Amino acid sequence: MLDIKLIRDNPELVKEKLKLRGEDDKVIHRIQKIDSDRLEILHKLEKLKELRNKASDEIAVMKKNKLDASTAINQTRLLGDEIKELDSQIKNLETELEKELYYIPALPDESVPIGKNETENVEVKVWGEKKSLTFKPKDHIELGKSLDILDFDRGTKIAGSGFPLYKGKGATLERALINFMLDTHISKNGYNEVITPVLANRASMEAAEKVPKFEDDMYYIQRDDLFAIPTAEVSILNIHRDEILKEEELPMRYSGFTNCFRREAGSYGKDTKGFLRVHQFNKVELINFCKPEDSYNELEKMLSDATRLLEDLNIHYRVIELCTGDLGFAASKCYDIEVWSYAEDKWLEASSVSNCTDFQSRRAKVRFKRHGGDGKQKTELVHILNGSGLATSRLMVALLESYQTEDGHIVVPEVLKKYTNFERI
RNA sequence: AGAGAGAUGGCUGAGUGGUUGAAAGCGGCGGUCUUGAAAACCGUUGUACCUCACGGUACCGGGGGUUCGAAUCCCUCUCUCUCUGCCA
């Protein structure tokens, strides 16, 4: 959520930044109107409350001295009616304001390339190169079927399309991948491991800025008012919701593995085969709570923590810097990491690393106390970053395809062998 | 799921209608003392919003109500604990 004060004090800047994202800036005008109405009423209301408080104190004194207070009580009663009326007006305006604010995305950082959509994203790095295969590569579905390690049909029987079933060495390979990634983050990259709930309540979903805007894309259990998390970003971020952190504890880096659930509403017919777009997938997530001045350095660190895994796995990848028009809702700056698919002959997104600055922390109320030089303390919002490190489904596509042999087998990547205890599928 | 108890500041824990934003203790911060540290002593220590400022308003799990006035009374929701049931 954006800071209403920023809109109040610098609406032109906000409009300008929203335009860069291709957003309609008319909403800013509506917000300004609601905000100024609210302030006007608030001033009146607070004045009336002050009067009432004073009158009540006087009544208390009169009662104490056994004086008749009925006139004062009758007068003050009238104040109460007025206060009640203004109170409900304020409440309505605040609801209206929130409704508008909840749908406004984060403002892009200065450094983000300007562009309308994904075609204007900027490739910032390519690592490794395409292998020149001497045979026609099979795709992951074919490989999964012939080696009996992935069974999309039976996954569909169990839950529906987009709910993959891993079998035998495929399941072991998946688990190896997850363990390898987590181990690296925990023992080498300085993250604290967590295992979180995979269901989250509405407050948590709102704090992570997934609801209300993306509510239709979430699995929702009505009976208990719980959402299946679309990413561990939601559950990990909420570890510190409504908390004031200690300055010396920052940055706090967490990593956790969870299943992730997405309805992918509206994306039917696009990249639907196999792992390319699924409703349930596995992901090792990275979340970082840090001081504002550190967040862009932390973003680069997280990017390199994620890409390092692909280098260890020896998988050809590239890093894309998203342009202003393609940024995610909560992000001020974002890198995508894409892996090469030999069978699809294109790049697949395997990770996204974002700096959400104070956009989520404002709504989640995650703050820290900054020690000033004069011994005073100031409460400030932390910056929150998230990144996949990594999501396995598309990574598995790239891995299976690039490690396949001409006779249709899979060679296990060197770094995974100690996890799989086999070298070949 | 049934019965009962409860939810107060960073923590423990008082407070049942009126200067209570909230006792006390612990912790934190600043200081005195000390070669240094500990102990002791003194002071200080919630969040948010409005206001150029003085200052004001709100907040004792959430929401609503009663009242001139609510942490305190009523309704409702959520959560926690104990017992019973069920269960990996």
Side-chain angles (χ1 to χ4, degrees), chain A residues 6-47:
Chain A
L6 180 65
I7 298 174
R8 187 183 298 156
D9 299 339
N10 209 338
E12 291 314 313
L13 174 85
V14 176
K15 283 188 203 171
E16 209 177 284
K17 299 267 182 190
L18 287 179
K19 269 188 201 153
L20 291 178
R21 296 192 55 136
E23 290 280 324
D24 187 359
D25 62 7
K26 284 200 200 78
V27 61
I28 298 304
H29 184 72
R30 290 203 298 277
I31 287 178
Q32 284 178 293
K33 173 82 173 89
I34 299 169
D35 183 50
S36 66
D37 287 354
R38 190 189 84 93
L39 282 186
E40 195 186 323
I41 293 173
L42 186 67
H43 293 151
K44 277 192 219 163
L45 179 63
E46 291 197 343
K47 208 77 206 159

mmCIF file of all heavy atoms in Angstrom, chain A residues 6-47:
data_model
loop_
_atom_site.group_PDB
_atom_site.id
_atom_site.type_symbol
_atom_site.label_atom_id
_atom_site.label_comp_id
_atom_site.label_asym_id
_atom_site.label_seq_id
_atom_site.Cartn_x
_atom_site.Cartn_y
_atom_site.Cartn_z
ATOM 1 N N LEU A 6 2.216 10.552 0.970
ATOM 2 C CA LEU A 6 2.949 10.821 -0.267
ATOM 3 C C LEU A 6 1.984 11.339 -1.330
ATOM 4 O O LEU A 6 2.285 12.285 -2.063
ATOM 5 C CB LEU A 6 3.649 9.549 -0.758
ATOM 6 C CG LEU A 6 4.462 9.695 -2.045
ATOM 7 C CD1 LEU A 6 5.646 10.633 -1.834
ATOM 8 C CD2 LEU A 6 4.938 8.348 -2.552
ATOM 9 N N ILE A 7 0.813 10.723 -1.387
ATOM 10 C CA ILE A 7 -0.199 11.171 -2.352
ATOM 11 C C ILE A 7 -0.682 12.565 -1.992
ATOM 12 O O ILE A 7 -0.879 13.418 -2.850
ATOM 13 C CB ILE A 7 -1.382 10.177 -2.387
ATOM 14 C CG1 ILE A 7 -0.895 8.802 -2.839
ATOM 15 C CG2 ILE A 7 -2.496 10.703 -3.297
ATOM 16 C CD1 ILE A 7 -1.942 7.714 -2.782
ATOM 17 N N ARG A 8 -0.827 12.810 -0.705
ATOM 18 C CA ARG A 8 -1.298 14.106 -0.234
ATOM 19 C C ARG A 8 -0.281 15.204 -0.568
ATOM 20 O O ARG A 8 -0.635 16.262 -1.062
ATOM 21 C CB ARG A 8 -1.511 14.036 1.285
ATOM 22 C CG ARG A 8 -2.170 15.260 1.896
ATOM 23 C CD ARG A 8 -2.266 15.098 3.410
ATOM 24 N NE ARG A 8 -3.086 13.960 3.790
ATOM 25 C CZ ARG A 8 -2.975 13.319 4.957
ATOM 26 N NH1 ARG A 8 -2.086 13.687 5.855
ATOM 27 N NH2 ARG A 8 -3.758 12.294 5.227
ATOM 28 N N ASP A 9 0.995 14.912 -0.295
ATOM 29 C CA ASP A 9 2.037 15.940 -0.424
ATOM 30 C C ASP A 9 2.613 16.037 -1.833
ATOM 31 O O ASP A 9 3.125 17.073 -2.221
ATOM 32 C CB ASP A 9 3.188 15.660 0.548
ATOM 33 C CG ASP A 9 2.721 15.689 1.996
ATOM 34 O OD1 ASP A 9 1.660 16.305 2.244
ATOM 35 O OD2 ASP A 9 3.395 15.101 2.855
ATOM 36 N N ASN A 10 2.596 14.932 -2.559
ATOM 37 C CA ASN A 10 3.274 14.951 -3.855
ATOM 38 C C ASN A 10 2.515 14.152 -4.919
ATOM 39 O O ASN A 10 3.049 13.206 -5.505
ATOM 40 C CB ASN A 10 4.688 14.386 -3.673
ATOM 41 C CG ASN A 10 5.651 14.968 -4.680
ATOM 42 O OD1 ASN A 10 5.217 15.453 -5.733
ATOM 43 N ND2 ASN A 10 6.933 14.896 -4.406
ATOM 44 N N PRO A 11 1.265 14.551 -5.162
ATOM 45 C CA PRO A 11 0.419 13.759 -6.068
ATOM 46 C C PRO A 11 0.985 13.668 -7.490
ATOM 47 O O PRO A 11 0.812 12.648 -8.153
ATOM 48 C CB PRO A 11 -0.917 14.498 -6.055
ATOM 49 C CG PRO A 11 -0.600 15.866 -5.561
ATOM 50 C CD PRO A 11 0.557 15.722 -4.636
ATOM 51 N N GLU A 12 1.676 14.729 -7.923
ATOM 52 C CA GLU A 12 2.174 14.721 -9.304
ATOM 53 C C GLU A 12 3.242 13.650 -9.493
ATOM 54 O O GLU A 12 3.275 12.961 -10.506
ATOM 55 C CB GLU A 12 2.729 16.099 -9.685
ATOM 56 C CG GLU A 12 1.649 17.175 -9.806
ATOM 57 C CD GLU A 12 0.429 16.705 -10.611
ATOM 58 O OE1 GLU A 12 0.622 16.117 -11.710
ATOM 59 O OE2 GLU A 12 -0.708 16.899 -10.140
ATOM 60 N N LEU A 13 4.094 13.496 -8.487
ATOM 61 C CA LEU A 13 5.131 12.465 -8.548
ATOM 62 C C LEU A 13 4.490 11.079 -8.647
ATOM 63 O O LEU A 13 4.883 10.241 -9.457
ATOM 64 C CB LEU A 13 6.022 12.530 -7.303
ATOM 65 C CG LEU A 13 7.050 11.409 -7.195
ATOM 66 C CD1 LEU A 13 8.306 11.765 -7.976
ATOM 67 C CD2 LEU A 13 7.401 11.093 -5.749
ATOM 68 N N VAL A 14 3.478 10.867 -7.814
ATOM 69 C CA VAL A 14 2.811 9.559 -7.805
ATOM 70 C C VAL A 14 2.169 9.278 -9.168
ATOM 71 O O VAL A 14 2.315 8.187 -9.718
ATOM 72 C CB VAL A 14 1.755 9.497 -6.679
ATOM 73 C CG1 VAL A 14 1.001 8.184 -6.723
ATOM 74 C CG2 VAL A 14 2.420 9.671 -5.315
ATOM 75 N N LYS A 15 1.501 10.287 -9.713
ATOM 76 C CA LYS A 15 0.852 10.109 -11.023
ATOM 77 C C LYS A 15 1.861 9.750 -12.093
ATOM 78 O O LYS A 15 1.640 8.863 -12.918
ATOM 79 C CB LYS A 15 0.144 11.404 -11.434
ATOM 80 C CG LYS A 15 -1.156 11.660 -10.729
ATOM 81 C CD LYS A 15 -1.844 12.863 -11.369
ATOM 82 C CE LYS A 15 -2.823 13.490 -10.392
ATOM 83 N NZ LYS A 15 -3.340 14.771 -10.913
ATOM 84 N N GLU A 16 2.970 10.473 -12.061
ATOM 85 C CA GLU A 16 4.037 10.250 -13.039
ATOM 86 C C GLU A 16 4.536 8.810 -12.996
ATOM 87 O O GLU A 16 4.673 8.141 -14.024
ATOM 88 C CB GLU A 16 5.176 11.192 -12.659
ATOM 89 C CG GLU A 16 6.064 11.683 -13.764
ATOM 90 C CD GLU A 16 7.061 12.663 -13.153
ATOM 91 O OE1 GLU A 16 6.670 13.827 -12.857
ATOM 92 O OE2 GLU A 16 8.203 12.247 -12.922
ATOM 93 N N LYS A 17 4.766 8.326 -11.768
ATOM 94 C CA LYS A 17 5.286 6.970 -11.603
ATOM 95 C C LYS A 17 4.246 5.928 -12.017
ATOM 96 O O LYS A 17 4.599 4.881 -12.560
ATOM 97 C CB LYS A 17 5.682 6.730 -10.141
ATOM 98 C CG LYS A 17 6.755 7.657 -9.643
ATOM 99 C CD LYS A 17 8.115 7.035 -9.806
ATOM 100 C CE LYS A 17 9.196 7.950 -9.247
ATOM 101 N NZ LYS A 17 10.527 7.466 -9.597
ATOM 102 N N LEU A 18 2.998 6.218 -11.721
ATOM 103 C CA LEU A 18 1.948 5.270 -12.100
ATOM 104 C C LEU A 18 1.826 5.184 -13.614
ATOM 105 O O LEU A 18 1.593 4.116 -14.175
ATOM 106 C CB LEU A 18 0.605 5.664 -11.489
ATOM 107 C CG LEU A 18 0.472 5.426 -9.986
ATOM 108 C CD1 LEU A 18 -0.899 5.879 -9.499
ATOM 109 C CD2 LEU A 18 0.695 3.971 -9.634
ATOM 110 N N LYS A 19 1.998 6.309 -14.271
ATOM 111 C CA LYS A 19 1.943 6.330 -15.738
ATOM 112 C C LYS A 19 3.023 5.441 -16.324
ATOM 113 O O LYS A 19 2.806 4.750 -17.315
ATOM 114 C CB LYS A 19 2.111 7.757 -16.262
ATOM 115 C CG LYS A 19 0.794 8.482 -16.435
ATOM 116 C CD LYS A 19 1.012 9.816 -17.153
ATOM 117 C CE LYS A 19 -0.169 10.746 -16.872
ATOM 118 N NZ LYS A 19 0.228 12.151 -16.960
ATOM 119 N N LEU A 20 4.200 5.455 -15.696
ATOM 120 C CA LEU A 20 5.296 4.606 -16.171
ATOM 121 C C LEU A 20 4.898 3.137 -16.141
ATOM 122 O O LEU A 20 5.385 2.330 -16.909
ATOM 123 C CB LEU A 20 6.547 4.794 -15.303
ATOM 124 C CG LEU A 20 7.255 6.136 -15.408
ATOM 125 C CD1 LEU A 20 8.441 6.180 -14.454
ATOM 126 C CD2 LEU A 20 7.712 6.386 -16.832
ATOM 127 N N ARG A 21 4.011 2.811 -15.213
ATOM 128 C CA ARG A 21 3.557 1.425 -15.106
ATOM 129 C C ARG A 21 2.363 1.161 -16.009
ATOM 130 O O ARG A 21 1.835 0.049 -16.013
ATOM 131 C CB ARG A 21 3.148 1.109 -13.660
ATOM 132 C CG ARG A 21 4.277 1.196 -12.669
ATOM 133 C CD ARG A 21 3.868 0.586 -11.349
ATOM 134 N NE ARG A 21 3.400 -0.772 -11.529
ATOM 135 C CZ ARG A 21 3.725 -1.792 -10.746
ATOM 136 N NH1 ARG A 21 4.506 -1.609 -9.728
ATOM 137 N NH2 ARG A 21 3.249 -2.988 -10.966
ATOM 138 N N GLY A 22 1.911 2.185 -16.693
ATOM 139 C CA GLY A 22 0.741 2.020 -17.541
ATOM 140 C C GLY A 22 -0.555 2.037 -16.764
ATOM 141 O O GLY A 22 -1.579 1.547 -17.216
ATOM 142 N N GLU A 23 -0.505 2.620 -15.563
ATOM 143 C CA GLU A 23 -1.701 2.683 -14.727
ATOM 144 C C GLU A 23 -2.455 3.978 -14.988
ATOM 145 O O GLU A 23 -1.860 5.011 -15.281
ATOM 146 C CB GLU A 23 -1.307 2.647 -13.246
ATOM 147 C CG GLU A 23 -0.766 1.323 -12.772
ATOM 148 C CD GLU A 23 -1.871 0.315 -12.491
ATOM 149 O OE1 GLU A 23 -2.949 0.715 -12.015
ATOM 150 O OE2 GLU A 23 -1.644 -0.889 -12.756
ATOM 151 N N ASP A 24 -3.756 3.900 -14.827
ATOM 152 C CA ASP A 24 -4.602 5.076 -14.930
ATOM 153 C C ASP A 24 -4.383 5.922 -13.672
ATOM 154 O O ASP A 24 -4.510 5.428 -12.563
ATOM 155 C CB ASP A 24 -6.063 4.619 -15.011
ATOM 156 C CG ASP A 24 -6.992 5.784 -15.290
ATOM 157 O OD1 ASP A 24 -6.497 6.928 -15.394
ATOM 158 O OD2 ASP A 24 -8.204 5.550 -15.400
ATOM 159 N N ASP A 25 -4.053 7.196 -13.861
ATOM 160 C CA ASP A 25 -3.758 8.016 -12.674
ATOM 161 C C ASP A 25 -4.963 8.815 -12.176
ATOM 162 O O ASP A 25 -4.853 9.601 -11.257
ATOM 163 C CB ASP A 25 -2.559 8.934 -12.947
ATOM 164 C CG ASP A 25 -2.844 9.917 -14.076
ATOM 165 O OD1 ASP A 25 -3.994 9.979 -14.541
ATOM 166 O OD2 ASP A 25 -1.895 10.618 -14.485
ATOM 167 N N LYS A 26 -6.122 8.581 -12.782
ATOM 168 C CA LYS A 26 -7.320 9.318 -12.331
ATOM 169 C C LYS A 26 -7.653 9.000 -10.879
ATOM 170 O O LYS A 26 -8.215 9.813 -10.167
ATOM 171 C CB LYS A 26 -8.528 8.941 -13.194
ATOM 172 C CG LYS A 26 -8.523 9.591 -14.570
ATOM 173 C CD LYS A 26 -9.936 9.581 -15.151
ATOM 174 C CE LYS A 26 -9.945 9.740 -16.654
ATOM 175 N NZ LYS A 26 -9.608 8.478 -17.366
ATOM 176 N N VAL A 27 -7.280 7.797 -10.459
ATOM 177 C CA VAL A 27 -7.581 7.360 -9.109
ATOM 178 C C VAL A 27 -6.954 8.303 -8.076
ATOM 179 O O VAL A 27 -7.496 8.513 -6.994
ATOM 180 C CB VAL A 27 -7.076 5.911 -8.902
ATOM 181 C CG1 VAL A 27 -5.570 5.820 -9.085
ATOM 182 C CG2 VAL A 27 -7.457 5.382 -7.533
ATOM 183 N N ILE A 28 -5.833 8.911 -8.433
ATOM 184 C CA ILE A 28 -5.161 9.813 -7.495
ATOM 185 C C ILE A 28 -6.048 11.012 -7.176
ATOM 186 O O ILE A 28 -6.144 11.448 -6.028
ATOM 187 C CB ILE A 28 -3.800 10.277 -8.057
ATOM 188 C CG1 ILE A 28 -2.875 9.067 -8.247
ATOM 189 C CG2 ILE A 28 -3.138 11.302 -7.146
ATOM 190 C CD1 ILE A 28 -2.661 8.247 -6.992
ATOM 191 N N HIS A 29 -6.737 11.497 -8.197
ATOM 192 C CA HIS A 29 -7.632 12.621 -7.973
ATOM 193 C C HIS A 29 -8.765 12.222 -7.019
ATOM 194 O O HIS A 29 -9.112 12.966 -6.108
ATOM 195 C CB HIS A 29 -8.200 13.106 -9.304
ATOM 196 C CG HIS A 29 -9.055 14.336 -9.159
ATOM 197 N ND1 HIS A 29 -8.508 15.572 -8.882
ATOM 198 C CD2 HIS A 29 -10.391 14.496 -9.186
ATOM 199 C CE1 HIS A 29 -9.486 16.448 -8.774
ATOM 200 N NE2 HIS A 29 -10.645 15.819 -8.947
ATOM 201 N N ARG A 30 -9.309 11.033 -7.237
ATOM 202 C CA ARG A 30 -10.391 10.555 -6.350
ATOM 203 C C ARG A 30 -9.880 10.450 -4.913
ATOM 204 O O ARG A 30 -10.568 10.816 -3.965
ATOM 205 C CB ARG A 30 -10.887 9.175 -6.811
ATOM 206 C CG ARG A 30 -11.651 9.194 -8.119
ATOM 207 C CD ARG A 30 -12.567 7.978 -8.258
ATOM 208 N NE ARG A 30 -11.876 6.697 -8.269
ATOM 209 C CZ ARG A 30 -11.314 6.157 -9.359
ATOM 210 N NH1 ARG A 30 -11.355 6.798 -10.514
ATOM 211 N NH2 ARG A 30 -10.708 4.984 -9.287
ATOM 212 N N ILE A 31 -8.659 9.938 -4.784
ATOM 213 C CA ILE A 31 -8.092 9.772 -3.446
ATOM 214 C C ILE A 31 -7.881 11.120 -2.765
ATOM 215 O O ILE A 31 -8.185 11.290 -1.588
ATOM 216 C CB ILE A 31 -6.764 8.981 -3.529
ATOM 217 C CG1 ILE A 31 -7.079 7.523 -3.835
ATOM 218 C CG2 ILE A 31 -5.968 9.113 -2.242
ATOM 219 C CD1 ILE A 31 -5.864 6.644 -3.979
ATOM 220 N N GLN A 32 -7.389 12.084 -3.540
ATOM 221 C CA GLN A 32 -7.172 13.410 -2.959
ATOM 222 C C GLN A 32 -8.473 13.988 -2.390
ATOM 223 O O GLN A 32 -8.486 14.584 -1.328
ATOM 224 C CB GLN A 32 -6.608 14.358 -4.020
ATOM 225 C CG GLN A 32 -5.139 14.123 -4.317
ATOM 226 C CD GLN A 32 -4.650 15.065 -5.405
ATOM 227 O OE1 GLN A 32 -5.082 14.952 -6.561
ATOM 228 N NE2 GLN A 32 -3.785 15.980 -5.053
ATOM 229 N N LYS A 33 -9.542 13.771 -3.152
ATOM 230 C CA LYS A 33 -10.848 14.299 -2.719
ATOM 231 C C LYS A 33 -11.298 13.620 -1.424
ATOM 232 O O LYS A 33 -11.689 14.282 -0.457
ATOM 233 C CB LYS A 33 -11.870 14.039 -3.848
ATOM 234 C CG LYS A 33 -13.312 14.371 -3.493
ATOM 235 C CD LYS A 33 -13.591 15.858 -3.660
ATOM 236 C CE LYS A 33 -15.083 16.179 -3.468
ATOM 237 N NZ LYS A 33 -15.406 16.452 -2.069
ATOM 238 N N ILE A 34 -11.226 12.301 -1.396
ATOM 239 C CA ILE A 34 -11.643 11.557 -0.206
ATOM 240 C C ILE A 34 -10.789 11.970 0.991
ATOM 241 O O ILE A 34 -11.291 12.214 2.086
ATOM 242 C CB ILE A 34 -11.505 10.031 -0.421
ATOM 243 C CG1 ILE A 34 -12.397 9.570 -1.573
ATOM 244 C CG2 ILE A 34 -11.887 9.278 0.859
ATOM 245 C CD1 ILE A 34 -12.119 8.145 -2.031
ATOM 246 N N ASP A 35 -9.491 12.068 0.750
ATOM 247 C CA ASP A 35 -8.560 12.399 1.823
ATOM 248 C C ASP A 35 -8.852 13.775 2.402
ATOM 249 O O ASP A 35 -8.879 13.954 3.621
ATOM 250 C CB ASP A 35 -7.124 12.321 1.287
ATOM 251 C CG ASP A 35 -6.098 12.595 2.373
ATOM 252 O OD1 ASP A 35 -6.203 11.967 3.448
ATOM 253 O OD2 ASP A 35 -5.199 13.433 2.160
ATOM 254 N N SER A 36 -9.096 14.750 1.545
ATOM 255 C CA SER A 36 -9.313 16.094 2.077
ATOM 256 C C SER A 36 -10.665 16.176 2.788
ATOM 257 O O SER A 36 -10.782 16.854 3.812
ATOM 258 C CB SER A 36 -9.187 17.150 0.970
ATOM 259 O OG SER A 36 -10.215 16.991 0.035
ATOM 260 N N ASP A 37 -11.666 15.468 2.281
ATOM 261 C CA ASP A 37 -12.947 15.402 2.989
ATOM 262 C C ASP A 37 -12.755 14.798 4.375
ATOM 263 O O ASP A 37 -13.290 15.272 5.368
ATOM 264 C CB ASP A 37 -13.958 14.532 2.223
ATOM 265 C CG ASP A 37 -14.472 15.244 0.968
ATOM 266 O OD1 ASP A 37 -14.122 16.432 0.782
ATOM 267 O OD2 ASP A 37 -15.197 14.607 0.191
ATOM 268 N N ARG A 38 -11.974 13.742 4.392
ATOM 269 C CA ARG A 38 -11.747 13.035 5.654
ATOM 270 C C ARG A 38 -11.054 13.942 6.668
ATOM 271 O O ARG A 38 -11.449 14.018 7.828
ATOM 272 C CB ARG A 38 -10.891 11.796 5.417
ATOM 273 C CG ARG A 38 -10.806 10.874 6.620
ATOM 274 C CD ARG A 38 -9.787 9.770 6.415
ATOM 275 N NE ARG A 38 -8.446 10.214 6.744
ATOM 276 C CZ ARG A 38 -7.875 10.067 7.946
ATOM 277 N NH1 ARG A 38 -8.534 9.469 8.920
ATOM 278 N NH2 ARG A 38 -6.670 10.512 8.171
ATOM 279 N N LEU A 39 -10.034 14.645 6.207
ATOM 280 C CA LEU A 39 -9.308 15.532 7.113
ATOM 281 C C LEU A 39 -10.208 16.630 7.657
ATOM 282 O O LEU A 39 -10.145 16.964 8.844
ATOM 283 C CB LEU A 39 -8.093 16.151 6.407
ATOM 284 C CG LEU A 39 -6.871 15.248 6.260
ATOM 285 C CD1 LEU A 39 -5.711 16.039 5.679
ATOM 286 C CD2 LEU A 39 -6.485 14.636 7.594
ATOM 287 N N GLU A 40 -11.044 17.159 6.791
ATOM 288 C CA GLU A 40 -11.929 18.236 7.216
ATOM 289 C C GLU A 40 -12.848 17.755 8.341
ATOM 290 O O GLU A 40 -13.006 18.419 9.364
ATOM 291 C CB GLU A 40 -12.753 18.697 6.002
ATOM 292 C CG GLU A 40 -13.440 20.027 6.208
ATOM 293 C CD GLU A 40 -14.347 20.364 5.038
ATOM 294 O OE1 GLU A 40 -13.968 20.044 3.891
ATOM 295 O OE2 GLU A 40 -15.440 20.902 5.281
ATOM 296 N N ILE A 41 -13.420 16.576 8.132
ATOM 297 C CA ILE A 41 -14.316 16.029 9.152
ATOM 298 C C ILE A 41 -13.543 15.642 10.402
ATOM 299 O O ILE A 41 -14.008 15.853 11.529
ATOM 300 C CB ILE A 41 -15.079 14.810 8.582
ATOM 301 C CG1 ILE A 41 -16.025 15.295 7.487
ATOM 302 C CG2 ILE A 41 -15.866 14.094 9.673
ATOM 303 C CD1 ILE A 41 -16.708 14.183 6.744
ATOM 304 N N LEU A 42 -12.346 15.123 10.194
ATOM 305 C CA LEU A 42 -11.527 14.707 11.337
ATOM 306 C C LEU A 42 -11.244 15.886 12.270
ATOM 307 O O LEU A 42 -11.296 15.757 13.492
ATOM 308 C CB LEU A 42 -10.212 14.097 10.841
ATOM 309 C CG LEU A 42 -9.323 13.493 11.920
ATOM 310 C CD1 LEU A 42 -9.988 12.256 12.527
ATOM 311 C CD2 LEU A 42 -7.960 13.116 11.366
ATOM 312 N N HIS A 43 -10.939 17.031 11.670
ATOM 313 C CA HIS A 43 -10.668 18.213 12.491
ATOM 314 C C HIS A 43 -11.867 18.564 13.342
ATOM 315 O O HIS A 43 -11.742 18.823 14.540
ATOM 316 C CB HIS A 43 -10.285 19.404 11.596
ATOM 317 C CG HIS A 43 -8.980 19.209 10.899
ATOM 318 N ND1 HIS A 43 -8.692 19.775 9.683
ATOM 319 C CD2 HIS A 43 -7.886 18.480 11.238
ATOM 320 C CE1 HIS A 43 -7.469 19.409 9.307
ATOM 321 N NE2 HIS A 43 -6.967 18.619 10.234
ATOM 322 N N LYS A 44 -13.037 18.575 12.731
ATOM 323 C CA LYS A 44 -14.268 18.874 13.482
ATOM 324 C C LYS A 44 -14.478 17.851 14.586
ATOM 325 O O LYS A 44 -14.781 18.189 15.725
ATOM 326 C CB LYS A 44 -15.485 18.800 12.540
ATOM 327 C CG LYS A 44 -15.741 20.052 11.737
ATOM 328 C CD LYS A 44 -17.124 19.945 11.078
ATOM 329 C CE LYS A 44 -17.091 20.513 9.667
ATOM 330 N NZ LYS A 44 -18.215 20.115 8.833
ATOM 331 N N LEU A 45 -14.317 16.605 14.206
ATOM 332 C CA LEU A 45 -14.595 15.501 15.121
ATOM 333 C C LEU A 45 -13.693 15.551 16.356
ATOM 334 O O LEU A 45 -14.160 15.409 17.489
ATOM 335 C CB LEU A 45 -14.415 14.177 14.377
ATOM 336 C CG LEU A 45 -14.637 12.898 15.169
ATOM 337 C CD1 LEU A 45 -16.084 12.822 15.635
ATOM 338 C CD2 LEU A 45 -14.299 11.671 14.337
ATOM 339 N N GLU A 46 -12.416 15.800 16.105
ATOM 340 C CA GLU A 46 -11.480 15.804 17.232
ATOM 341 C C GLU A 46 -11.757 16.965 18.177
ATOM 342 O O GLU A 46 -11.596 16.854 19.383
ATOM 343 C CB GLU A 46 -10.036 15.833 16.723
ATOM 344 C CG GLU A 46 -9.659 14.525 16.048
ATOM 345 C CD GLU A 46 -8.161 14.330 15.890
ATOM 346 O OE1 GLU A 46 -7.431 15.336 16.006
ATOM 347 O OE2 GLU A 46 -7.738 13.184 15.654
ATOM 348 N N LYS A 47 -12.186 18.066 17.591
ATOM 349 C CA LYS A 47 -12.553 19.232 18.399
ATOM 350 C C LYS A 47 -13.731 18.878 19.308
ATOM 351 O O LYS A 47 -13.731 19.186 20.500
ATOM 352 C CB LYS A 47 -12.947 20.374 17.440
ATOM 353 C CG LYS A 47 -12.716 21.753 17.995
ATOM 354 C CD LYS A 47 -11.244 22.116 17.936
ATOM 355 C CE LYS A 47 -10.889 23.144 19.002
ATOM 356 N NZ LYS A 47 -9.450 23.135 19.296
#
